[in-house]
mmCIF file of all heavy atoms in Angstrom:
data_model
loop_
_atom_site.group_PDB
_atom_site.id
_atom_site.type_symbol
_atom_site.label_atom_id
_atom_site.label_comp_id
_atom_site.label_asym_id
_atom_site.label_seq_id
_atom_site.Cartn_x
_atom_site.Cartn_y
_atom_site.Cartn_z
ATOM 1 N N ALA A 1 -7.056 5.407 32.358
ATOM 2 C CA ALA A 1 -8.098 6.113 31.617
ATOM 3 C C ALA A 1 -7.482 7.041 30.579
ATOM 4 O O ALA A 1 -7.030 6.574 29.522
ATOM 5 C CB ALA A 1 -9.009 6.886 32.584
ATOM 6 N N THR A 2 -7.434 8.324 30.871
ATOM 7 C CA THR A 2 -7.021 9.328 29.879
ATOM 8 C C THR A 2 -5.581 9.103 29.378
ATOM 9 O O THR A 2 -5.343 9.080 28.169
ATOM 10 C CB THR A 2 -7.129 10.743 30.451
ATOM 11 O OG1 THR A 2 -8.472 10.977 30.868
ATOM 12 C CG2 THR A 2 -6.748 11.762 29.406
ATOM 13 N N GLY A 3 -4.636 8.927 30.288
ATOM 14 C CA GLY A 3 -3.244 8.731 29.881
ATOM 15 C C GLY A 3 -3.061 7.522 28.997
ATOM 16 O O GLY A 3 -2.351 7.579 27.978
ATOM 17 N N GLY A 4 -3.701 6.447 29.355
ATOM 18 C CA GLY A 4 -3.602 5.217 28.550
ATOM 19 C C GLY A 4 -4.227 5.411 27.179
ATOM 20 O O GLY A 4 -3.684 4.923 26.176
ATOM 21 N N ALA A 5 -5.364 6.107 27.124
ATOM 22 C CA ALA A 5 -6.017 6.337 25.851
ATOM 23 C C ALA A 5 -5.149 7.202 24.944
ATOM 24 O O ALA A 5 -5.090 6.971 23.743
ATOM 25 C CB ALA A 5 -7.380 7.007 26.083
ATOM 26 N N ILE A 6 -4.510 8.208 25.509
ATOM 27 C CA ILE A 6 -3.625 9.047 24.702
ATOM 28 C C ILE A 6 -2.456 8.244 24.144
ATOM 29 O O ILE A 6 -2.089 8.353 22.969
ATOM 30 C CB ILE A 6 -3.082 10.239 25.559
ATOM 31 C CG1 ILE A 6 -4.241 11.170 25.942
ATOM 32 C CG2 ILE A 6 -2.001 11.005 24.793
ATOM 33 C CD1 ILE A 6 -3.878 12.195 26.989
ATOM 34 N N ALA A 7 -1.882 7.392 24.979
ATOM 35 C CA ALA A 7 -0.792 6.536 24.524
ATOM 36 C C ALA A 7 -1.238 5.643 23.390
ATOM 37 O O ALA A 7 -0.532 5.486 22.373
ATOM 38 C CB ALA A 7 -0.269 5.709 25.695
ATOM 39 N N ARG A 8 -2.401 5.027 23.507
ATOM 40 C CA ARG A 8 -2.887 4.160 22.441
ATOM 41 C C ARG A 8 -3.161 4.929 21.147
ATOM 42 O O ARG A 8 -2.883 4.425 20.059
ATOM 43 C CB ARG A 8 -4.171 3.454 22.906
ATOM 44 C CG ARG A 8 -3.950 2.388 23.973
ATOM 45 C CD ARG A 8 -5.215 1.547 24.204
ATOM 46 N NE ARG A 8 -6.287 2.349 24.759
ATOM 47 C CZ ARG A 8 -6.498 2.553 26.047
ATOM 48 N NH1 ARG A 8 -5.684 1.991 26.925
ATOM 49 N NH2 ARG A 8 -7.528 3.272 26.478
ATOM 50 N N ARG A 9 -3.661 6.161 21.313
ATOM 51 C CA ARG A 9 -3.972 6.977 20.126
ATOM 52 C C ARG A 9 -2.710 7.306 19.318
ATOM 53 O O ARG A 9 -2.685 7.177 18.083
ATOM 54 C CB ARG A 9 -4.666 8.276 20.539
ATOM 55 C CG ARG A 9 -5.124 9.121 19.372
ATOM 56 C CD ARG A 9 -6.194 8.402 18.567
ATOM 57 N NE ARG A 9 -6.620 9.133 17.382
ATOM 58 C CZ ARG A 9 -6.021 9.067 16.191
ATOM 59 N NH1 ARG A 9 -4.946 8.273 16.046
ATOM 60 N NH2 ARG A 9 -6.460 9.753 15.160
ATOM 61 N N PHE A 10 -1.665 7.707 20.014
ATOM 62 C CA PHE A 10 -0.424 8.025 19.291
ATOM 63 C C PHE A 10 0.261 6.775 18.762
ATOM 64 O O PHE A 10 0.880 6.795 17.694
ATOM 65 C CB PHE A 10 0.499 8.819 20.219
ATOM 66 C CG PHE A 10 0.194 10.292 20.270
ATOM 67 C CD1 PHE A 10 -0.790 10.777 21.098
ATOM 68 C CD2 PHE A 10 0.846 11.183 19.415
ATOM 69 C CE1 PHE A 10 -1.128 12.127 21.141
ATOM 70 C CE2 PHE A 10 0.539 12.530 19.453
ATOM 71 C CZ PHE A 10 -0.453 13.014 20.308
ATOM 72 N N ALA A 11 0.130 5.661 19.487
ATOM 73 C CA ALA A 11 0.727 4.413 19.002
ATOM 74 C C ALA A 11 0.086 3.979 17.695
ATOM 75 O O ALA A 11 0.760 3.450 16.808
ATOM 76 C CB ALA A 11 0.558 3.317 20.067
ATOM 77 N N ARG A 12 -1.216 4.236 17.545
ATOM 78 C CA ARG A 12 -1.910 3.862 16.301
ATOM 79 C C ARG A 12 -1.384 4.670 15.111
ATOM 80 O O ARG A 12 -1.536 4.234 13.963
ATOM 81 C CB ARG A 12 -3.421 4.072 16.448
ATOM 82 C CG ARG A 12 -4.117 3.076 17.348
ATOM 83 C CD ARG A 12 -5.602 2.992 17.062
ATOM 84 N NE ARG A 12 -6.302 4.258 17.216
ATOM 85 C CZ ARG A 12 -6.825 4.695 18.360
ATOM 86 N NH1 ARG A 12 -6.665 3.961 19.498
ATOM 87 N NH2 ARG A 12 -7.464 5.843 18.418
ATOM 88 N N GLU A 13 -0.800 5.823 15.412
ATOM 89 C CA GLU A 13 -0.254 6.649 14.324
ATOM 90 C C GLU A 13 1.202 6.339 14.050
ATOM 91 O O GLU A 13 1.854 7.080 13.310
ATOM 92 C CB GLU A 13 -0.431 8.113 14.672
ATOM 93 C CG GLU A 13 -1.884 8.549 14.840
ATOM 94 C CD GLU A 13 -2.677 8.482 13.564
ATOM 95 O OE1 GLU A 13 -2.062 8.530 12.462
ATOM 96 O OE2 GLU A 13 -3.919 8.379 13.643
ATOM 97 N N GLY A 14 1.712 5.299 14.691
ATOM 98 C CA GLY A 14 3.104 4.912 14.411
ATOM 99 C C GLY A 14 4.142 5.478 15.354
ATOM 100 O O GLY A 14 5.351 5.304 15.136
ATOM 101 N N TYR A 15 3.687 6.140 16.412
ATOM 102 C CA TYR A 15 4.624 6.692 17.373
ATOM 103 C C TYR A 15 5.125 5.596 18.345
ATOM 104 O O TYR A 15 4.353 4.726 18.753
ATOM 105 C CB TYR A 15 3.971 7.814 18.175
ATOM 106 C CG TYR A 15 3.930 9.125 17.465
ATOM 107 C CD1 TYR A 15 3.065 9.293 16.381
ATOM 108 C CD2 TYR A 15 4.737 10.192 17.805
ATOM 109 C CE1 TYR A 15 3.016 10.490 15.668
ATOM 110 C CE2 TYR A 15 4.711 11.392 17.116
ATOM 111 C CZ TYR A 15 3.850 11.553 16.057
ATOM 112 O OH TYR A 15 3.809 12.710 15.353
ATOM 113 N N GLU A 16 6.377 5.660 18.659
ATOM 114 C CA GLU A 16 6.937 4.845 19.723
ATOM 115 C C GLU A 16 6.501 5.530 21.029
ATOM 116 O O GLU A 16 6.870 6.697 21.280
ATOM 117 C CB GLU A 16 8.461 4.822 19.591
ATOM 118 C CG GLU A 16 9.114 3.709 20.396
ATOM 119 C CD GLU A 16 9.612 2.575 19.479
ATOM 120 O OE1 GLU A 16 9.519 2.733 18.256
ATOM 121 O OE2 GLU A 16 10.094 1.590 20.025
ATOM 122 N N VAL A 17 5.747 4.829 21.822
ATOM 123 C CA VAL A 17 5.153 5.451 23.018
ATOM 124 C C VAL A 17 5.934 5.067 24.268
ATOM 125 O O VAL A 17 6.174 3.868 24.519
ATOM 126 C CB VAL A 17 3.674 5.033 23.150
ATOM 127 C CG1 VAL A 17 3.078 5.642 24.438
ATOM 128 C CG2 VAL A 17 2.878 5.498 21.937
ATOM 129 N N CYS A 18 6.310 6.071 25.038
ATOM 130 C CA CYS A 18 6.985 5.851 26.331
ATOM 131 C C CYS A 18 6.046 6.308 27.421
ATOM 132 O O CYS A 18 5.717 7.490 27.551
ATOM 133 C CB CYS A 18 8.294 6.652 26.378
ATOM 134 S SG CYS A 18 9.515 6.140 25.161
ATOM 135 N N VAL A 19 5.556 5.348 28.196
ATOM 136 C CA VAL A 19 4.553 5.642 29.217
ATOM 137 C C VAL A 19 5.208 5.531 30.582
ATOM 138 O O VAL A 19 6.021 4.675 30.854
ATOM 139 C CB VAL A 19 3.355 4.685 29.114
ATOM 140 C CG1 VAL A 19 2.551 4.984 27.847
ATOM 141 C CG2 VAL A 19 3.779 3.224 29.095
ATOM 142 N N ALA A 20 4.815 6.461 31.475
ATOM 143 C CA ALA A 20 5.444 6.527 32.794
ATOM 144 C C ALA A 20 4.411 6.784 33.874
ATOM 145 O O ALA A 20 3.468 7.530 33.676
ATOM 146 C CB ALA A 20 6.506 7.649 32.794
ATOM 147 N N ARG A 21 4.623 6.121 34.993
ATOM 148 C CA ARG A 21 3.850 6.367 36.192
ATOM 149 C C ARG A 21 4.679 5.901 37.404
ATOM 150 O O ARG A 21 5.744 5.319 37.209
ATOM 151 C CB ARG A 21 2.461 5.716 36.162
ATOM 152 C CG ARG A 21 2.481 4.206 36.031
ATOM 153 C CD ARG A 21 1.096 3.653 35.788
ATOM 154 N NE ARG A 21 0.174 3.836 36.899
ATOM 155 C CZ ARG A 21 -1.095 3.392 36.925
ATOM 156 N NH1 ARG A 21 -1.570 2.761 35.836
ATOM 157 N NH2 ARG A 21 -1.864 3.594 37.967
ATOM 158 N N ARG A 22 4.195 6.141 38.591
ATOM 159 C CA ARG A 22 5.001 5.822 39.773
ATOM 160 C C ARG A 22 5.428 4.367 39.818
ATOM 161 O O ARG A 22 6.593 4.056 40.133
ATOM 162 C CB ARG A 22 4.209 6.184 41.052
ATOM 163 C CG ARG A 22 4.124 7.657 41.339
ATOM 164 C CD ARG A 22 5.436 8.244 41.803
ATOM 165 N NE ARG A 22 5.866 7.665 43.086
ATOM 166 C CZ ARG A 22 5.521 8.139 44.273
ATOM 167 N NH1 ARG A 22 4.719 9.197 44.362
ATOM 168 N NH2 ARG A 22 5.958 7.583 45.383
ATOM 169 N N THR A 23 4.514 3.452 39.521
ATOM 170 C CA THR A 23 4.787 2.030 39.605
ATOM 171 C C THR A 23 4.880 1.446 38.203
ATOM 172 O O THR A 23 3.867 1.361 37.490
ATOM 173 C CB THR A 23 3.700 1.288 40.404
ATOM 174 O OG1 THR A 23 3.555 1.927 41.694
ATOM 175 C CG2 THR A 23 4.069 -0.180 40.602
ATOM 176 N N GLU A 24 6.049 1.025 37.800
ATOM 177 C CA GLU A 24 6.266 0.536 36.425
ATOM 178 C C GLU A 24 5.389 -0.692 36.131
ATOM 179 O O GLU A 24 4.836 -0.834 35.040
ATOM 180 C CB GLU A 24 7.723 0.207 36.192
ATOM 181 C CG GLU A 24 8.039 -0.238 34.790
ATOM 182 C CD GLU A 24 9.519 -0.484 34.548
ATOM 183 O OE1 GLU A 24 10.333 0.029 35.360
ATOM 184 O OE2 GLU A 24 9.859 -1.163 33.576
ATOM 185 N N SER A 25 5.272 -1.601 37.109
ATOM 186 C CA SER A 25 4.534 -2.836 36.873
ATOM 187 C C SER A 25 3.075 -2.568 36.540
ATOM 188 O O SER A 25 2.399 -3.372 35.839
ATOM 189 C CB SER A 25 4.627 -3.756 38.075
ATOM 190 O OG SER A 25 4.125 -3.124 39.236
ATOM 191 N N ALA A 26 2.519 -1.442 37.024
ATOM 192 C CA ALA A 26 1.100 -1.107 36.749
ATOM 193 C C ALA A 26 0.880 -0.775 35.300
ATOM 194 O O ALA A 26 -0.262 -0.728 34.822
ATOM 195 C CB ALA A 26 0.659 0.051 37.635
ATOM 196 N N LEU A 27 1.955 -0.548 34.532
ATOM 197 C CA LEU A 27 1.856 -0.206 33.122
ATOM 198 C C LEU A 27 1.785 -1.441 32.202
ATOM 199 O O LEU A 27 1.546 -1.323 31.019
ATOM 200 C CB LEU A 27 3.053 0.648 32.713
ATOM 201 C CG LEU A 27 3.075 2.077 33.298
ATOM 202 C CD1 LEU A 27 4.484 2.657 33.160
ATOM 203 C CD2 LEU A 27 2.047 2.940 32.605
ATOM 204 N N ALA A 28 1.993 -2.611 32.758
ATOM 205 C CA ALA A 28 2.068 -3.830 31.950
ATOM 206 C C ALA A 28 0.827 -4.030 31.071
ATOM 207 O O ALA A 28 0.950 -4.309 29.878
ATOM 208 C CB ALA A 28 2.316 -5.043 32.835
ATOM 209 N N PRO A 29 -0.415 -3.910 31.607
ATOM 210 C CA PRO A 29 -1.577 -4.124 30.745
ATOM 211 C C PRO A 29 -1.649 -3.127 29.582
ATOM 212 O O PRO A 29 -2.023 -3.499 28.474
ATOM 213 C CB PRO A 29 -2.758 -3.925 31.715
ATOM 214 C CG PRO A 29 -2.200 -4.210 33.075
ATOM 215 C CD PRO A 29 -0.776 -3.706 33.015
ATOM 216 N N LEU A 30 -1.284 -1.873 29.829
ATOM 217 C CA LEU A 30 -1.301 -0.858 28.790
ATOM 218 C C LEU A 30 -0.285 -1.180 27.700
ATOM 219 O O LEU A 30 -0.592 -1.169 26.515
ATOM 220 C CB LEU A 30 -1.024 0.521 29.370
ATOM 221 C CG LEU A 30 -0.860 1.666 28.358
ATOM 222 C CD1 LEU A 30 -2.121 1.856 27.516
ATOM 223 C CD2 LEU A 30 -0.503 2.968 29.102
ATOM 224 N N VAL A 31 0.936 -1.501 28.100
ATOM 225 C CA VAL A 31 1.993 -1.831 27.137
ATOM 226 C C VAL A 31 1.590 -3.055 26.317
ATOM 227 O O VAL A 31 1.746 -3.089 25.083
ATOM 228 C CB VAL A 31 3.315 -2.064 27.854
ATOM 229 C CG1 VAL A 31 4.363 -2.640 26.891
ATOM 230 C CG2 VAL A 31 3.839 -0.761 28.448
ATOM 231 N N GLU A 32 1.052 -4.060 26.998
ATOM 232 C CA GLU A 32 0.639 -5.298 26.289
ATOM 233 C C GLU A 32 -0.480 -5.002 25.289
ATOM 234 O O GLU A 32 -0.484 -5.558 24.175
ATOM 235 C CB GLU A 32 0.176 -6.330 27.311
ATOM 236 C CG GLU A 32 1.341 -6.880 28.160
ATOM 237 C CD GLU A 32 0.858 -7.727 29.336
ATOM 238 O OE1 GLU A 32 -0.390 -7.921 29.435
ATOM 239 O OE2 GLU A 32 1.696 -8.153 30.150
ATOM 240 N N SER A 33 -1.430 -4.124 25.653
ATOM 241 C CA SER A 33 -2.523 -3.837 24.722
ATOM 242 C C SER A 33 -2.034 -3.078 23.500
ATOM 243 O O SER A 33 -2.501 -3.328 22.383
ATOM 244 C CB SER A 33 -3.616 -3.008 25.452
ATOM 245 O OG SER A 33 -3.166 -1.692 25.741
#
């Protein structure tokens, strides 16, 4: 929800986004999007 939306917002501005959570594999959909 919020964390993913923030990552997408900064990525749209050209930022290289590094996203982190306990389980790395759970981040796959966010990174792919």
Side-chain angles (χ1 to χ4, degrees):
T2 303
I6 294 168
R8 289 191 295 271
R9 184 66 183 87
F10 278 83
R12 289 201 301 272
E13 299 294 336
Y15 281 71
E16 197 106 4
V17 177
C18 296
V19 291
R21 61 189 295 181
R22 285 288 295 272
T23 306
E24 183 176 342
S25 59
L27 291 163
L30 173 60
V31 171
E32 290 169 4
S33 69

